[in-house]
Amino acid sequence: MKETTQRVIDQTAPKHLVDHNLVPETVVPGVIYEKRPARNLQGEVVPGLYNAWIWLDNPKQYNSYTTDMVKGLILAFRAASCARDVATVVFTAVGDKAFCTGGNTKEYAEYYAGNPQEYRQYMRLFNDMVSAILGCDKPVVCRVNGMRIGGGQEIGMAADFTVAQDLANFGQAGPKHGSAAIGGATDFLPVMIGCEQAMVSGTLCEPFSAHKAYRLGISSQIVPALKIDGKFVANPLVITDRYLDEFGRIIHGEFKTGDELAAGKELLKRGEIDLSLLDEAVEKLCAKLISTFPECLTKSFEELRKPKLDAWNRNKENSRAWLALNMMNEARTGFRAFNEGTKETGREIEFTDLRQALAVGTPWTPELIESLMPGAK
Ligand SMILES: CC(C)(COP(=O)(O)OP(=O)(O)OC[C@H]1O[C@@H](n2cnc3c(N)ncnc32)[C@H](O)[C@@H]1OP(=O)(O)O)[C@@H](O)C(=O)NCCC(=O)NCCSC(=O)C1=CCCCC1=O
């Protein structure tokens, strides 16, 4: 730093700083808040400036968030927002399998199923978490270390940037597990990828690859993560070497099939996952972000968030109410099925059985729900 600027700081910066945090501590199990020194474009540490790395830490359950973790995230985003010395927030998760697969289905099935008033309170916290990301006073970079599914995709899309390792899949789970992707996805997806692709993602729940996410515009950068014999290679399960099929349809980023897929799986088994390029890309983006005027940057991202924020604010209260009541029937059934099912029985219900029952006016009863559980005799 120039000596003249340092002199001004010494003479004019207040000796005591007011703490604007809601609570002094932000330590919640399952969420890690870490301040890492910020770096400039040359990769050098900039003394006195940091990036806040907010980690989901529940890798055994694919970094799904429990109620306590939702609270932890709200506090963490508030802490980062208030920290004068924090330039950028990096929102990520532990491990290389999953960034987040949404709400914790065990908690949903064992506590919230059939308990709409409790889920309504949970949804207050969930909504506050999404709003905390969208309202963060610092730019938020989602470092996608692995799959981003369901509510995980929703909180990821609430971030300003998405930088992903290319083995990560993206998608929604709601209508397959008894929910609707109205925790942000139905607000953000049409804005980000257009109505038709949003419809495909939000209703059919077929995951798409990082390469496709990049092509559609959910991610601004992807990097390879698989190393074979010490060399990075693109995700071998996905078509990355050609753009069109013989009929002119886009196949770049689609999942391989047949022998090509089998060969890809063999390669994947042989390799090791290394997220160093992901970290490099994230650090570089953070460095670009601090090489700007702070207020002008803030005004810019606040304006650019508006299409997402407007849709979110328009719908979030209605969504909360609908999701709460849906815990009486479809969510109660779908989340229990995922939680109680196994790889052998399957973890989804027979959807056509339910539809056939409803088509002849069968009411929702506990007996109907039991009969739909995977493996029910
Ligand atoms: C498709 C999957 C994401 C990944 O499938 P696969 O690769 O086959 O892994 P699994 O064997 O299924 O999972 C590995 C272990 O992780 C546990 N797991 C995964 N996801 C969750 C979760 N969300 N909560 C709790 N535990 C989870 C899984 O049980 C395995 O552990 P085990 O001990 O059994 O070996 C697949 O995992 C999947 O579909 N997961 C569930 C996705 C989901 O339904 N998420 C909730 C969506 S709804 C949501 O998030 C909402 C947010 C707010 C608004 C309302 C709402 O609904």
Coordinates of all heavy atoms in Angstrom, one line a residue, residues 58-65 97-98 100-108 119 122-123 126-127 129-130 147-154 172-174 176-184 207 319 323 326-327 331 334-335 338-339 341-343 347-348, ligand 1:
N58 N -21.7 -31.6 5.7 CA -22.5 -32.8 6.0 C -22.3 -33.8 4.9 O -23.3 -34.2 4.3 CB -24.0 -32.3 6.2 CG -24.9 -33.5 6.5 OD1 -24.4 -34.6 7.0 ND2 -26.2 -33.3 6.3
P59 N -21.0 -34.2 4.6 CA -20.8 -34.9 3.4 C -21.4 -36.3 3.3 O -21.8 -36.8 2.3 CB -19.2 -35.0 3.3 CG -18.8 -34.7 4.7 CD -19.8 -33.8 5.3
K60 N -21.6 -36.9 4.5 CA -22.2 -38.3 4.5 C -23.7 -38.2 3.9 O -24.1 -39.2 3.4 CB -22.3 -38.8 5.9 CG -21.0 -39.4 6.4 CD -21.2 -40.4 7.5 CE -19.8 -40.9 7.9 NZ -19.5 -40.4 9.3
Q61 N -24.3 -37.1 4.1 CA -25.7 -36.9 3.6 C -25.6 -35.9 2.4 O -26.5 -35.1 2.2 CB -26.6 -36.5 4.6 CG -26.8 -37.6 5.7 CD -27.8 -37.1 6.8 OE1 -27.7 -36.0 7.3 NE2 -28.7 -38.0 7.2
Y62 N -24.6 -36.0 1.6 CA -24.4 -35.2 0.4 C -24.6 -33.7 0.7 O -25.2 -33.0 -0.1 CB -25.3 -35.7 -0.7 CG -24.7 -36.9 -1.4 CD1 -23.6 -37.6 -0.9 CD2 -25.2 -37.3 -2.7 CE1 -23.1 -38.7 -1.5 CE2 -24.6 -38.4 -3.3 CZ -23.5 -39.1 -2.8 OH -23.0 -40.2 -3.4
N63 N -24.2 -33.3 1.8 CA -24.2 -31.9 2.2 C -25.6 -31.3 2.2 O -25.8 -30.1 1.9 CB -23.2 -31.0 1.4 CG -21.8 -31.4 1.8 OD1 -21.5 -31.5 3.0 ND2 -20.9 -31.6 0.8
S64 N -26.6 -32.2 2.4 CA -28.0 -31.7 2.5 C -28.0 -30.8 3.8 O -27.2 -31.1 4.7 CB -29.0 -32.9 2.7 OG -28.6 -33.7 3.7
Y65 N -28.9 -29.9 3.9 CA -28.9 -29.0 5.0 C -30.0 -29.4 6.0 O -31.2 -29.6 5.6 CB -29.1 -27.5 4.6 CG -30.1 -27.3 3.5 CD1 -31.4 -27.2 3.8 CD2 -29.7 -27.1 2.2 CE1 -32.4 -27.1 2.9 CE2 -30.7 -27.0 1.2 CZ -32.0 -26.9 1.5 OH -32.9 -26.8 0.6
K97 N -18.0 -35.0 -3.8 CA -19.2 -35.7 -4.3 C -20.4 -34.7 -4.5 O -21.0 -34.7 -5.6 CB -19.7 -36.7 -3.3 CG -18.8 -38.0 -3.2 CD -19.2 -38.9 -4.3 CE -18.2 -40.1 -4.3 NZ -16.8 -39.8 -4.5
A98 N -20.7 -33.9 -3.5 CA -21.9 -33.0 -3.6 C -21.6 -31.6 -3.0 O -21.0 -31.5 -2.0 CB -23.0 -33.7 -2.8
C100 N -24.5 -29.8 -2.6 CA -25.7 -29.9 -1.7 C -26.8 -30.6 -2.5 O -27.0 -30.3 -3.7 CB -26.1 -28.5 -1.2 SG -27.6 -28.5 -0.2
T101 N -27.5 -31.5 -1.8 CA -28.7 -32.2 -2.5 C -30.0 -31.7 -1.8 O -31.0 -32.4 -1.8 CB -28.6 -33.7 -2.4 OG1 -28.5 -34.1 -1.0 CG2 -27.3 -34.2 -3.2
G102 N -30.0 -30.5 -1.2 CA -31.2 -29.9 -0.8 C -31.5 -30.2 0.7 O -30.6 -30.5 1.5
G103 N -32.8 -30.1 1.0 CA -33.2 -30.3 2.4 C -32.9 -31.7 2.8 O -32.8 -32.6 2.0
N104 N -32.7 -31.9 4.1 CA -32.3 -33.2 4.6 C -33.5 -34.1 4.7 O -34.5 -33.9 5.5 CB -31.7 -33.1 6.0 CG -31.1 -34.4 6.5 OD1 -31.8 -35.2 7.0 ND2 -29.8 -34.5 6.3
T105 N -33.5 -35.1 3.8 CA -34.7 -36.0 3.6 C -35.0 -36.8 4.8 O -36.2 -37.1 5.1 CB -34.5 -36.9 2.4 OG1 -33.2 -37.5 2.4 CG2 -34.6 -36.1 1.1
K106 N -34.0 -37.1 5.6 CA -34.2 -37.9 6.9 C -35.1 -37.0 7.8 O -36.1 -37.4 8.4 CB -32.9 -38.3 7.5 CG -33.0 -39.2 8.7 CD -31.6 -39.7 9.0 CE -31.6 -40.3 10.4 NZ -32.5 -41.4 10.6
E107 N -34.6 -35.8 8.0 CA -35.4 -34.8 8.9 C -36.8 -34.6 8.3 O -37.7 -34.5 9.0 CB -34.6 -33.5 9.0 CG -35.0 -32.6 10.1 CD -34.2 -31.3 10.1 OE1 -33.9 -30.7 9.1 OE2 -33.9 -30.9 11.3
Y108 N -36.8 -34.4 7.0 CA -38.2 -34.2 6.4 C -39.1 -35.3 6.7 O -40.2 -35.2 7.1 CB -38.0 -34.0 4.8 CG -37.5 -32.7 4.3 CD1 -37.1 -31.7 5.1 CD2 -37.5 -32.5 2.9 CE1 -36.7 -30.5 4.6 CE2 -37.1 -31.3 2.4 CZ -36.7 -30.3 3.3 OH -36.2 -29.1 2.7
Y119 N -43.4 -27.4 9.5 CA -42.7 -27.2 8.2 C -42.8 -25.7 7.8 O -41.9 -25.1 7.2 CB -43.2 -28.1 7.1 CG -42.2 -28.2 5.9 CD1 -40.9 -28.7 6.1 CD2 -42.7 -27.9 4.6 CE1 -40.1 -28.8 5.0 CE2 -41.8 -28.0 3.5 CZ -40.5 -28.4 3.7 OH -39.7 -28.5 2.7
Y122 N -40.1 -24.0 9.5 CA -38.9 -24.3 8.8 C -38.7 -23.5 7.5 O -37.7 -22.9 7.2 CB -38.9 -25.8 8.4 CG -37.8 -26.3 7.4 CD1 -36.6 -26.6 7.8 CD2 -38.1 -26.3 6.1 CE1 -35.6 -27.0 6.9 CE2 -37.2 -26.7 5.1 CZ -35.9 -27.1 5.6 OH -35.0 -27.4 4.7
M123 N -39.9 -23.4 6.8 CA -39.8 -22.6 5.5 C -39.5 -21.1 5.8 O -39.1 -20.4 4.9 CB -41.1 -22.8 4.7 CG -41.1 -24.1 3.9 SD -39.7 -24.4 2.9 CE -39.7 -23.0 1.8
F126 N -35.9 -21.3 5.8 CA -35.4 -21.6 4.4 C -35.5 -20.3 3.6 O -34.5 -19.9 2.9 CB -36.2 -22.7 3.7 CG -35.8 -22.9 2.3 CD1 -34.7 -23.8 2.0 CD2 -36.4 -22.2 1.3 CE1 -34.3 -24.0 0.7 CE2 -35.9 -22.4 0.0 CZ -34.9 -23.3 -0.3
N127 N -36.6 -19.6 3.6 CA -36.8 -18.4 2.9 C -35.7 -17.3 3.3 O -35.2 -16.6 2.4 CB -38.2 -17.8 3.0 CG -39.2 -18.5 2.2 OD1 -38.9 -19.5 1.5 ND2 -40.5 -18.1 2.2
M129 N -32.9 -17.9 4.4 CA -31.5 -18.4 3.9 C -31.4 -17.9 2.5 O -30.3 -17.3 2.1 CB -31.4 -19.9 4.0 CG -30.2 -20.5 3.3 SD -30.0 -22.2 3.6 CE -31.5 -23.0 2.9
V130 N -32.4 -18.2 1.6 CA -32.2 -17.7 0.2 C -32.1 -16.2 0.2 O -31.3 -15.7 -0.6 CB -33.4 -18.3 -0.6 CG1 -33.4 -17.7 -2.0 CG2 -33.5 -19.8 -0.6
M147 N -22.3 -32.6 -7.0 CA -23.6 -32.4 -7.5 C -24.4 -31.3 -6.7 O -24.2 -31.1 -5.5 CB -24.4 -33.7 -7.5 CG -24.7 -34.3 -6.1 SD -25.6 -35.9 -6.3 CE -24.3 -37.1 -6.6
R148 N -25.2 -30.6 -7.5 CA -26.1 -29.5 -6.9 C -27.5 -29.9 -7.3 O -27.9 -29.6 -8.4 CB -25.6 -28.2 -7.5 CG -25.9 -27.0 -6.8 CD -25.3 -25.8 -7.3 NE -26.0 -25.1 -8.4 CZ -25.7 -23.9 -8.9 NH1 -24.7 -23.2 -8.4 NH2 -26.4 -23.4 -9.9
I149 N -28.2 -30.4 -6.3 CA -29.6 -31.0 -6.6 C -30.6 -30.4 -5.7 O -30.3 -30.1 -4.5 CB -29.5 -32.5 -6.5 CG1 -28.4 -33.2 -7.3 CG2 -30.9 -33.2 -6.7 CD1 -28.7 -33.2 -8.8
G150 N -31.9 -30.3 -6.2 CA -33.0 -29.9 -5.3 C -32.8 -28.5 -4.7 O -32.3 -27.6 -5.4
G151 N -33.0 -28.4 -3.4 CA -32.7 -27.2 -2.7 C -31.3 -26.7 -2.8 O -31.0 -25.6 -2.7
G152 N -30.4 -27.7 -3.1 CA -29.0 -27.4 -3.2 C -28.8 -26.5 -4.5 O -28.0 -25.5 -4.5
Q153 N -29.5 -26.9 -5.5 CA -29.5 -26.1 -6.8 C -30.1 -24.8 -6.6 O -29.6 -23.7 -7.1 CB -30.2 -26.9 -7.9 CG -30.6 -26.2 -9.1 CD -29.4 -26.1 -10.1 OE1 -28.2 -26.0 -9.8 NE2 -29.8 -26.1 -11.4
E154 N -31.1 -24.7 -5.7 CA -31.8 -23.4 -5.5 C -30.9 -22.5 -4.7 O -30.8 -21.3 -5.1 CB -33.1 -23.7 -4.7 CG -34.0 -24.6 -5.5 CD -35.4 -24.9 -4.9 OE1 -35.4 -25.3 -3.7 OE2 -36.4 -24.7 -5.6
Q172 N -33.1 -30.8 -10.4 CA -34.2 -30.7 -9.4 C -34.7 -32.1 -9.0 O -34.5 -33.0 -9.8 CB -35.3 -29.8 -9.9 CG -35.0 -28.4 -10.2 CD -34.3 -27.7 -9.0 OE1 -33.3 -26.9 -9.1 NE2 -34.8 -28.0 -7.8
A173 N -35.3 -32.2 -7.8 CA -35.8 -33.5 -7.4 C -37.2 -33.5 -7.0 O -37.9 -34.5 -6.8 CB -34.9 -33.9 -6.2
G174 N -37.8 -32.3 -6.8 CA -39.1 -32.1 -6.2 C -40.2 -33.1 -6.6 O -40.6 -33.9 -5.8
K176 N -40.4 -35.7 -8.0 CA -40.1 -37.2 -7.9 C -40.1 -37.6 -6.4 O -40.3 -38.7 -6.0 CB -38.7 -37.5 -8.4 CG -38.6 -37.5 -9.9 CD -39.2 -38.7 -10.6 CE -38.9 -38.7 -12.1 NZ -39.7 -39.7 -12.8
H177 N -39.9 -36.6 -5.5 CA -39.8 -36.9 -4.1 C -40.9 -36.2 -3.3 O -40.8 -36.1 -2.0 CB -38.4 -36.5 -3.5 CG -37.3 -37.3 -4.1 ND1 -36.0 -37.0 -3.9 CD2 -37.4 -38.5 -4.8 CE1 -35.3 -37.9 -4.5 NE2 -36.1 -38.8 -5.1
G178 N -41.9 -35.7 -4.0 CA -43.1 -35.2 -3.2 C -43.0 -33.7 -3.0 O -43.7 -33.2 -2.1
S179 N -42.2 -33.0 -3.7 CA -42.2 -31.5 -3.5 C -42.3 -30.8 -4.9 O -42.3 -31.4 -5.9 CB -40.9 -31.2 -2.8 OG -41.0 -29.8 -2.3
A180 N -42.3 -29.5 -4.8 CA -42.2 -28.7 -6.0 C -41.0 -27.8 -5.9 O -40.7 -27.4 -4.7 CB -43.5 -27.9 -6.2
A181 N -40.3 -27.6 -6.9 CA -39.0 -26.8 -6.9 C -39.3 -25.3 -6.7 O -38.8 -24.5 -7.5 CB -38.2 -27.1 -8.1
I182 N -40.1 -25.0 -5.7 CA -40.5 -23.6 -5.5 C -39.7 -22.9 -4.4 O -40.1 -21.9 -3.9 CB -42.0 -23.4 -5.3 CG1 -42.5 -24.3 -4.1 CG2 -42.8 -23.9 -6.6 CD1 -44.0 -24.2 -3.8
G183 N -38.6 -23.5 -4.1 CA -37.7 -22.8 -3.1 C -36.6 -22.0 -3.8 O -35.5 -21.8 -3.3
G184 N -37.0 -21.5 -5.0 CA -36.1 -20.6 -5.8 C -36.0 -21.1 -7.2 O -35.9 -20.3 -8.1
P207 N -31.3 -34.9 -14.2 CA -30.1 -34.1 -13.9 C -29.4 -33.8 -15.2 O -29.5 -34.5 -16.2 CB -29.2 -34.9 -13.0 CG -29.7 -36.3 -13.2 CD -31.1 -36.3 -13.6
S319 N -45.3 -19.7 -1.7 CA -44.6 -21.0 -1.8 C -44.5 -21.6 -0.4 O -44.7 -22.9 -0.3 CB -43.2 -20.8 -2.4 OG -43.3 -20.3 -3.7
L323 N -46.0 -25.2 0.4 CA -45.1 -26.3 0.8 C -45.5 -26.9 2.2 O -45.4 -28.1 2.4 CB -43.6 -25.9 0.8 CG -43.0 -25.7 -0.6 CD1 -41.7 -24.9 -0.5 CD2 -42.7 -27.1 -1.2
N326 N -48.5 -29.1 1.7 CA -48.1 -30.3 0.9 C -47.5 -31.4 1.8 O -47.4 -32.5 1.4 CB -47.2 -29.8 -0.2 CG -46.8 -30.9 -1.2 OD1 -47.7 -31.6 -1.7 ND2 -45.5 -31.2 -1.3
M327 N -47.0 -31.0 3.0 CA -46.4 -31.9 3.9 C -47.5 -32.9 4.4 O -47.1 -33.9 5.1 CB -45.7 -31.2 5.1 CG -44.2 -31.1 4.9 SD -43.4 -32.6 4.8 CE -41.8 -32.1 4.3
A331 N -45.6 -34.7 0.0 CA -44.3 -34.6 0.6 C -44.1 -35.7 1.7 O -43.1 -36.3 1.8 CB -44.0 -33.2 1.2
G334 N -43.6 -38.8 -0.4 CA -42.3 -38.9 -1.2 C -41.1 -38.9 -0.3 O -40.1 -39.6 -0.6
F335 N -41.0 -38.1 0.7 CA -39.8 -38.0 1.5 C -39.7 -39.3 2.4 O -38.6 -39.8 2.6 CB -39.7 -36.7 2.3 CG -39.5 -35.5 1.5 CD1 -40.3 -34.4 1.5 CD2 -38.4 -35.5 0.6 CE1 -40.1 -33.3 0.7 CE2 -38.2 -34.4 -0.2 CZ -39.0 -33.3 -0.1
F338 N -38.2 -41.9 0.1 CA -36.8 -41.8 -0.1 C -36.0 -42.3 1.1 O -35.0 -43.0 1.0 CB -36.4 -40.4 -0.5 CG -34.9 -40.2 -0.8 CD1 -34.4 -40.6 -2.1 CD2 -34.0 -39.8 0.2 CE1 -33.1 -40.5 -2.4 CE2 -32.7 -39.7 -0.1 CZ -32.2 -40.1 -1.4
N339 N -36.6 -41.9 2.2 CA -35.9 -42.2 3.5 C -36.0 -43.7 3.9 O -35.0 -44.2 4.4 CB -36.5 -41.3 4.6 CG -35.7 -41.3 5.9 OD1 -34.5 -41.2 5.9 ND2 -36.3 -41.5 7.0
G341 N -36.9 -46.2 1.7 CA -36.6 -47.1 0.6 C -35.1 -47.5 0.7 O -34.3 -46.9 1.4
T342 N -34.7 -48.5 -0.1 CA -33.3 -48.9 -0.2 C -33.0 -49.0 -1.7 O -33.8 -48.8 -2.6 CB -33.1 -50.3 0.4 OG1 -33.9 -51.2 -0.3 CG2 -33.4 -50.3 1.9
K343 N -31.7 -49.3 -2.0 CA -31.3 -49.4 -3.4 C -32.1 -50.6 -4.0 O -32.5 -50.6 -5.2 CB -29.8 -49.7 -3.5 CG -28.9 -48.6 -3.1 CD -28.5 -47.7 -4.2 CE -27.6 -46.6 -3.7 NZ -27.7 -45.3 -4.2
R347 N -36.4 -45.9 -4.1 CA -36.6 -44.9 -3.1 C -37.7 -43.9 -3.6 O -37.8 -42.8 -3.1 CB -35.3 -44.2 -2.8 CG -34.2 -45.2 -2.4 CD -32.9 -44.5 -2.1 NE -32.9 -44.0 -0.7 CZ -31.9 -43.5 0.0 NH1 -30.7 -43.5 -0.6 NH2 -32.0 -43.1 1.2
E348 N -38.4 -44.4 -4.6 CA -39.6 -43.5 -5.1 C -40.8 -44.4 -5.1 O -40.7 -45.6 -5.1 CB -39.3 -43.1 -6.5 CG -38.2 -42.0 -6.6 CD -37.8 -41.7 -8.0 OE1 -38.5 -42.1 -9.0 OE2 -36.8 -40.9 -8.2
Ligands
LIG1 C1 -29.9 -38.2 -6.8 C2 -29.2 -38.1 -5.5 C3 -28.9 -36.7 -5.2 C4 -27.8 -38.9 -5.5 O1 -28.0 -40.2 -5.8 P1 -26.8 -41.3 -5.6 O2 -25.6 -40.8 -6.2 O3 -27.4 -42.6 -5.9 O4 -26.5 -41.2 -4.0 P2 -27.4 -41.8 -2.8 O5 -27.0 -43.2 -2.5 O6 -28.8 -41.6 -3.0 O7 -27.0 -40.8 -1.6 C5 -25.8 -41.0 -0.9 C6 -26.1 -40.8 0.6 O8 -26.5 -39.5 0.9 C7 -27.8 -39.5 1.4 N1 -28.5 -38.3 0.9 C8 -28.5 -37.8 -0.3 N2 -29.3 -36.7 -0.4 C9 -29.8 -36.5 0.8 C10 -30.6 -35.5 1.3 N3 -31.1 -34.5 0.6 N4 -30.9 -35.6 2.6 C11 -30.4 -36.6 3.4 N5 -29.6 -37.6 3.0 C12 -29.3 -37.5 1.7 C13 -28.5 -40.8 0.9 O9 -29.5 -41.2 1.8 C14 -27.3 -41.7 1.0 O10 -27.0 -42.1 2.3 P3 -27.3 -43.6 2.8 O11 -26.9 -43.6 4.2 O12 -28.7 -43.9 2.5 O13 -26.4 -44.5 1.9 C15 -30.0 -38.8 -4.4 O14 -29.3 -38.9 -3.2 C16 -31.3 -38.0 -4.1 O15 -32.2 -37.9 -4.9 N6 -31.2 -37.3 -2.9 C17 -32.4 -36.6 -2.4 C18 -32.6 -35.3 -3.1 C19 -33.8 -34.6 -2.5 O16 -34.9 -35.1 -2.6 N7 -33.6 -33.5 -1.9 C20 -34.6 -32.7 -1.3 C21 -35.3 -32.0 -2.4 S1 -36.6 -30.9 -1.8 C22 -35.8 -29.5 -1.2 O17 -34.6 -29.5 -1.2 C23 -36.6 -28.4 -0.8 C24 -36.0 -27.2 -0.4 C25 -36.8 -26.1 0.1 C26 -38.1 -26.1 -0.4 C27 -38.8 -27.3 -0.3 C28 -38.0 -28.5 -0.8 O18 -38.6 -29.4 -1.1

